[in-house]
Amino acid sequence: MKRFIESICKTFNCDKTRLLDIFWAIQEKYSYVPQKTLDLLSHKLKLSIPELKDTLTFYHFFHQKPSGKIIIYVDSSAISEIFGLNKIISSFEQELNCKMGEVDPTGQFGLFKTPCIGMSDQAPAALIHGIPVGKLTTAKIKKIVADLRKNILPKVQIKNKVQLRGPVLFEKHNVGESLDLLYALTPDQIIQEVEDSGIRGRGGAGFSTGKKWRFCAEQKEKQRYIVCNADEGEPGTFKDRYLLTKNPTLVFEGMILAARAIGANQGLIYLRAEYKYLKGHLQSILDQMQLQNLLGNQILDIPNFDFHIRIQLGAGSYVVGEETALLESLEGRRGEPRMRPPFPVEQGYLSKPTIINNVETFASVSKIIKNGAHWYKKFGTSSSPGTKLLSVSGDCAHPGIYEVEWGLSIRQFLKLVGATNTLAVQVGGPSGQCISLKEKNRRLSFDDLPTGGSMMVFSKKRNLLNIIKNFVQFFQDESCGCCLPCRAGNIVLNEQMHAILSSEAAEVDLQRIQNWSKIISASSRCGLGQSCTNPMISSMQAFPEIYKKNVKAHESLYRPFDVENKTVAYEQVVQLHEKES
Amino acid sequence: MKKKVNITIDGKSISATPDDNIVEVAKANGVYIPTLCFYPDMGKCLGTCRVCTVKWKRHHVAACTLKVEEGMELTVQSDELKDLRKALVELLFVEGNHFCPGCEKSGDCKLQALGYELQMTVPRFHYRFNNRIIEYNSKKILFEHNRCILCKRCTHKFKDSKGRRVFFFKGKGCHLEVEMVTELVDQLNEEQVDHLVELCPVGALLKKGKGFDRPYGERKYDKTPVGQTTETHPKPSTKKHKGLL
């Protein structure tokens, strides 16, 4: 063991910013991170054990006790839930002879839940030893477990169902085509072109990409970084999975263009742990690009244009999708969002100016540079130019990937995806909006209904409250705990949701949810806390009748201590005393 | 020297230096913004408790994270903000297990003082009765986790003589807790331990061998409301106190 720890420390140069890689290496060898390895690491890296645990305990893919040689993570997202999550779990429990969250008697298998693994188009799904398997049934599970017992792992089979090939990302593209423009355009012209296109960040926040690049280029510090955010954690999205499996060069080209624009020589892709199975594939593409002189030193023989890309694997955390939390994680720490300002363009990765963009943003930028800003602006609306990749899941005839122009109405959307008998659409995942068909004329755009790509459709046969409860639970589990309102507030909201579902809530509880939600979202520190109340609030607005119907109790269980009532005797004594004196 | 700019807080015009911290600027001008995790002159603020939330341009922002900008118009005292702060303090009271009458820090505790300040009587939320431990392994510090409010002061603002961090986080979300490096705590000198105990806004970190060094009535917030007291770098006490524990 000692030799092993020494060798991995050597591989990563005893670099503390590579802690995640080090833990991954240990876990791959021992299938968990034993205490003894921490002792050795502590000695080697000159970090105390609590400091190592600071990082280790933040990520749910790292285990500190034996958790099975083969770990099965069942996707517990709302989409999985409506497609029979409970049945799937009991099948696994029966086949493996262990309970959820435990290890089987042989110590061979571990069974755990995990939030959305980016397979909502093929729900219910699970990650088996890192390999995604969709459309699970009892029979399929039987076969999988039988195979596993014979040491046969399932094959990686990602079925990307592209339902609508749009005009931008699906336009014919040869590898490296956009990079030809590197000869014709100066760095400033690249930024100008991106700025002119009006493209806004595709991750959800919608900040102008051109402006971001401009700010970064204006920094005094010359050492700069490009980071690609491939941590698509929003339940219901899988569009980055599509881009990374089918068209990763388009994403890398965007990163190279960004590097040229701001003069960066190092790029990083933060790949979510759920997509670990893509790492080898992506690395081989990077190696290929290096051979083609599209990456590495003197790219395309342009003097002094060096750019390298490294893949950093995450370890399971939704909040790391927030750009500053992602930076913390890239530096080997807990994925807690940083205070802003300074913004990443001023002080990002290793405190140097950094551009962080979503996978889809980089892919779109390649197309913008190739075809020009003018071409790009032909699509979409004036305030939301271009197209958007949607990950469609839930109750519709054609779940999968769609590239649509911004400005699409919900009515058009539902027709497109073949949704009938629809109750609600969750636009933008749990952190987005839950809308009813009364709002079907609303449009997907940054000014009306923004979306990072997740589109979940729920039909009338679903229990909406169960779905919302799933979202609230998700936020409670994924809160980093750093700021109070999000850490403690989500528990309170979850409790209220539980009360409603178990018919223990009264009318007054609905008002409480509204009031408390306002406080939590107003005072939280990052996007997670600010949007964690969205599912409850938006669904209450869209479906007041569903909530009302479930409010059955005459009196709320939530009865705070009635101070006036309980101090009557005291008040009487005080009054008596005052009278006498 | 930077040129002064004008800002308004609750309608009151204030002339301030750009980039100065809003909490401190307000205080210097007689406007009190309640704070809890905020600690003056300690560089980067923590922004964990959110009690100092104010309103700027229709958005809610933690004042401790804000810097003076020309033409800022801030709202500090409104019914909505008062209730928000009160709710946050209540959340802290239900999250931990706080029993003021039996607490060594009573009267010196910022959380307790804020509770009074914001006129909190009974929290609107359910008590969680979280099962937390009291850690007594260290020779110098008694760590009462029941009272810990996870403000990050000890984890991020306290370093030992070699500049090492001594406290870290463990877990996340509602399972978050602070873990101390016992060996390093044991190497701290008297002054550092005093500083550490002072740094903790509540009674979570206590000095071993010292219980109640001043009687109730003579403590920090006993007669002066929290808004009028100043928290500064504690100077090591010159008085020798006899240990009671």
Side-chain angles (χ1 to χ4, degrees):
Chain A
M1 187 180 267
K2 198 174 170 199
R3 201 170 290 163
F4 173 69
I5 296 295
E6 268 168 11
S7 83
I8 50 170
C9 286
K10 208 173 153 197
T11 315
F12 297 109
N13 255 333
C14 289
D15 184 353
K16 288 167 202 170
T17 67
R18 303 296 296 274
L19 256 187
L20 259 60
D21 293 307
I22 293 173
F23 288 140
W24 268 121
I26 296 175
Q27 180 150 303
E28 249 147 54
K29 170 128 179 143
Y30 302 103
S31 67
Y32 73 108
V33 184
Q35 178 65 35
K36 212 168 161 214
T37 60
L38 291 182
D39 298 339
L40 293 164
L41 265 185
S42 155
H43 182 68
K44 201 78 198 148
L45 299 178
K46 307 216 164 23
L47 296 173
S48 62
I49 289 179
E51 187 159 10
L52 290 170
K53 282 193 185 163
D54 198 63
T55 301
L56 181 67
T57 56
F58 187 81
Y59 300 95
H60 74 255
F61 276 101
F62 291 140
H63 294 266
Q64 279 189 82
K65 46 180 196 219
S67 303
K69 295 234 160 25
I70 287 171
I71 303 181
I72 294 165
Y73 290 105
V74 183
D75 180 327
S76 65
S77 67
I79 295 292
S80 264
E81 210 170 275
I82 63 171
F83 289 120
L85 172 67
N86 287 338
K87 219 171 129 193
I88 294 306
I89 289 177
S90 41
S91 301
F92 268 120
E93 285 179 335
Q94 205 179 347
E95 292 305 316
L96 295 172
N97 193 18
C98 74
K99 285 259 172 269
M100 185 45 118
E102 289 176 2
V103 184
D104 83 321
T106 63
Q108 180 71 9
F109 302 105
L111 183 62
F112 300 93
K113 272 189 197 176
T114 191
C116 185
I117 59 168
M119 291 282 285
S120 293
D121 50 344
Q122 296 153 54
L127 277 175
I128 292 161
H129 203 58
I131 299 160
V133 185
K135 297 235 178 265
L136 288 171
T137 56
T138 306
K140 208 164 166 181
I141 290 170
K142 255 194 182 127
K143 167 98 178 35
I144 289 169
V145 175
D147 279 352
L148 285 176
R149 292 200 194 280
K150 286 182 247 156
N151 286 325
I152 305 169
L153 283 171
K155 280 200 189 91
V156 184
Q157 280 176 324
I158 292 296
K159 290 190 194 102
N160 285 301
K161 264 192 250 157
V162 179
Q163 306 283 11
L164 183 69
R165 309 178 80 86
V168 173
L169 294 169
F170 289 95
E171 182 230 20
K172 196 175 174 322
H173 192 98
N174 300 320
V175 174
E177 221 177 328
S178 69
L179 299 181
D180 292 344
L181 274 299
L182 282 174
Y183 297 115
L185 298 172
T186 63
D188 194 63
Q189 282 168 328
I190 296 175
I191 299 181
Q192 194 59 49
E193 201 68 30
V194 177
E195 240 175 351
D196 289 347
S197 75
I199 183 173
R200 294 163 72 166
R202 292 306 193 236
F207 189 77
S208 156
T209 307
K211 256 192 205 152
K212 194 184 258 187
W213 291 21
R214 174 79 65 202
F215 284 145
C216 194
E218 282 166 359
Q219 296 300 312
K220 277 194 198 118
E221 170 65 52
K222 292 293 170 231
Q223 173 68 52
R224 295 162 184 174
Y225 293 99
I226 305 291
V227 174
C228 174
N229 184 346
D231 189 55
E232 63 168 350
E234 191 69 45
T237 98
F238 44 86
K239 51 140 188 120
D240 291 348
R241 181 199 79 203
Y242 165 75
L243 281 173
L244 294 173
T245 39
K246 289 290 176 197
N247 215 345
T249 48
L250 200 59
V251 181
F252 299 150
E253 280 176 40
M255 290 178 74
I256 296 165
L257 290 165
R260 180 66 178 160
I262 64 153
N265 57 20
Q266 179 69 53
L268 296 130
I269 299 173
Y270 189 92
L271 186 69
R272 68 191 301 230
E274 289 83 346
Y275 293 171
K276 196 174 166 212
Y277 57 91
L278 289 175
K279 198 180 171 212
H281 164 68
L282 293 176
Q283 190 58 53
S284 69
I285 302 276
L286 287 175
D287 295 343
Q288 231 171 2
M289 286 178 84
Q290 180 125 14
L291 287 177
Q292 291 167 303
N293 195 15
L294 300 176
L295 272 175
N297 296 334
Q298 307 244 2
I299 293 173
L300 294 170
D301 299 326
I302 297 169
N304 301 323
F305 181 31
D306 305 343
F307 187 58
H308 304 267
I309 296 179
R310 175 166 82 74
I311 304 170
Q312 172 67 55
L313 195 63
S317 166
Y318 167 70
V319 71
V320 167
E322 199 275 348
E323 57 178 14
T324 57
L326 187 135
L327 290 171
E328 285 291 301
S329 186
L330 268 179
E331 294 178 20
R333 287 193 293 272
R334 302 165 62 78
E336 278 176 10
R338 292 179 182 170
M339 304 286 281
R340 294 182 298 184
F343 290 91
V345 286
E346 303 160 287
Q347 288 178 32
Y349 180 59
L350 305 177
S351 300
K352 305 290 183 200
T354 304
I355 284 180
I356 307 171
N357 277 129
N358 182 264
V359 169
E360 190 187 344
T361 314
F362 280 123
S364 307
V365 162
S366 308
K367 296 291 190 176
I368 291 168
I369 296 299
K370 180 185 154 198
N371 297 315
H374 187 69
W375 168 82
Y376 188 74
K377 277 173 101 164
K378 282 194 299 194
F379 312 109
T381 69
S382 57
S383 66
S384 311
T387 58
K388 181 79 195 86
L389 271 191
L390 300 180
S391 320
V392 180
S393 61
D395 298 314
C396 61
H398 318 293
I401 300 281
Y402 292 73
E403 188 191 15
V404 302
E405 289 186 42
W406 282 110
L408 187 82
S409 72
I410 293 299
R411 185 204 306 268
Q412 290 165 320
F413 166 78
L414 290 173
K415 202 174 158 201
L416 197 64
V417 304
T420 47
N421 198 25
T422 304
L423 174 72
V425 185
Q426 184 74 26
V427 182
S431 71
Q433 303 281 321
C434 176
I435 61 165
S436 72
L437 288 194
K438 278 184 216 137
E439 299 166 89
K440 64 184 170 196
N441 289 327
R442 291 183 71 181
R443 290 172 187 279
L444 298 181
S445 75
F446 286 105
D447 342 284
D448 188 5
L449 281 174
T451 172
S454 170
M455 299 290 281
M456 308 182 199
V457 185
F458 298 111
S459 81
K460 284 184 182 145
K461 61 182 183 195
R462 306 296 176 197
N463 180 348
L464 188 75
L465 294 178
N466 274 333
I467 293 163
I468 301 295
K469 171 84 168 64
N470 180 297
F471 293 162
V472 178
Q473 181 70 45
F474 167 74
F475 285 122
Q476 182 189 320
D477 294 342
E478 290 302 317
S479 164
C480 74
C482 167
C483 82
L484 163 72
C486 174
R487 177 182 72 228
N490 268 310
I491 302 179
V492 172
L493 291 182
N494 198 359
E495 217 170 42
Q496 287 281 318
M497 206 60 218
H498 180 78
I500 295 175
L501 273 168
S502 45
S503 309
E504 285 168 345
E507 191 81 38
V508 62
D509 286 306
L510 298 185
Q511 193 52 48
R512 280 192 185 129
I513 292 177
Q514 301 263 8
N515 296 346
W516 297 350
S517 294
K518 260 188 218 145
I519 291 170
I520 292 163
S521 62
S523 58
S524 282
R525 179 173 147 138
C526 80
L528 193 154
Q530 285 155 10
S531 57
C532 67
T533 58
N534 284 354
M536 288 176 104
I537 296 300
S538 61
S539 64
M540 269 168 127
Q541 259 162 16
F543 303 98
E545 67 286 355
I546 296 185
Y547 279 88
K548 286 232 168 78
K549 210 169 70 192
N550 279 276
V551 162
K552 289 178 182 149
H554 295 297
E555 203 180 356
S556 169
L557 267 190
Y558 224 104
R559 263 168 295 174
F561 183 76
D562 184 355
V563 70
E564 267 161 37
N565 206 3
K566 303 284 182 198
T567 51
V568 171
Y570 170 79
E571 292 296 337
Q572 281 169 350
V573 171
V574 170
Q575 271 172 17
L576 207 68
H577 180 76
E578 274 170 0
K579 247 185 215 167
E580 279 171 8
S581 62
Chain B
M1 262 266 304
K2 279 186 191 165
K3 217 182 125 198
K4 294 238 172 181
V5 296
N6 288 315
I7 64 169
T8 64
I9 300 181
D10 287 339
K12 184 181 174 183
S13 304
I14 288 172
S15 151
T17 318
D19 290 346
D20 273 5
N21 184 293
I22 289 292
V23 173
E24 289 178 20
V25 167
K27 183 153 193 162
N29 287 279
V31 179
Y32 168 55
I33 303 176
T35 57
L36 181 49
C37 67
F38 177 75
Y39 203 74
D41 320 320
M42 287 286 267
K44 233 175 166 185
C45 58
L46 300 160
T48 53
C49 77
R50 319 304 286 178
V51 169
C52 63
T53 299
V54 296
K55 226 169 171 181
W56 178 35
K57 286 186 196 160
R58 283 187 296 142
H59 291 291
H60 292 82
V61 208
C64 69
T65 66
L66 266 187
K67 286 177 177 170
V68 170
E69 274 176 40
E70 168 74 63
M72 258 180 162
E73 286 174 26
L74 300 174
T75 312
V76 174
Q77 297 296 353
S78 66
D79 288 345
E80 183 216 350
L81 286 169
K82 278 185 205 164
D83 184 56
L84 182 144
R85 288 184 198 120
K86 198 167 156 187
L88 292 179
V89 170
E90 289 173 14
L91 271 177
L92 281 174
F93 270 99
V94 301
E95 188 189 41
N97 302 311
H98 301 275
F99 302 103
C100 298
C103 178
E104 293 82 344
K105 201 87 176 239
S106 187
D108 285 330
C109 169
K110 217 173 164 193
L111 178 67
Q112 182 194 35
L114 264 180
Y116 282 122
E117 172 79 31
L118 300 168
Q119 299 182 347
M120 180 196 126
T121 46
V122 169
R124 67 196 76 179
F125 311 107
H126 274 175
Y127 281 102
R128 304 214 58 78
F129 302 109
N130 274 330
N131 197 4
R132 296 195 184 169
I133 55 159
I134 303 174
E135 205 178 328
Y136 48 84
N137 295 337
S138 158
K139 282 182 225 145
K140 305 249 165 113
I141 289 284
L142 182 94
F143 196 162
E144 206 343 341
H145 287 267
N146 287 296
R147 303 170 184 163
C148 179
I149 56 167
L150 305 161
C151 68
K152 269 191 172 180
R153 275 194 187 181
C154 61
T155 58
H156 284 70
K157 296 293 176 195
F158 184 78
K159 304 266 166 72
D160 72 356
S161 353
K162 288 186 183 156
R164 287 172 295 193
R165 283 171 62 192
V166 182
F167 293 85
F168 294 93
F169 269 162
K170 198 171 111 184
K172 73 171 174 188
C174 53
H175 305 294
L176 189 67
E177 55 184 292
V178 173
E179 195 169 28
M180 63 175 166
V181 189
T182 317
E183 308 86 67
L184 295 185
V185 171
D186 287 350
Q187 288 166 24
L188 299 175
N189 62 30
E190 201 87 335
E191 252 173 59
Q192 287 168 322
V193 172
D194 286 340
H195 173 56
L196 181 60
V197 171
E198 175 79 30
L199 197 60
C200 179
V202 291
L205 295 173
L206 299 168
K207 188 178 181 179
K208 272 200 176 171
K210 174 180 153 181
F212 299 85
D213 62 344
R214 275 161 301 139
Y216 293 132
E218 287 177 23
R219 298 184 173 199
K220 205 186 221 166
Y221 305 116
D222 281 347
K223 293 194 177 116
T224 329
V226 61
Q228 290 164 29
T229 49
T230 334
E231 230 181 332
T232 45
H233 294 279
K235 291 194 182 72
S237 137
T238 42
K239 271 193 233 161
K240 282 266 180 288
H241 295 294
K242 223 176 174 183
L244 290 176
L245 259 179

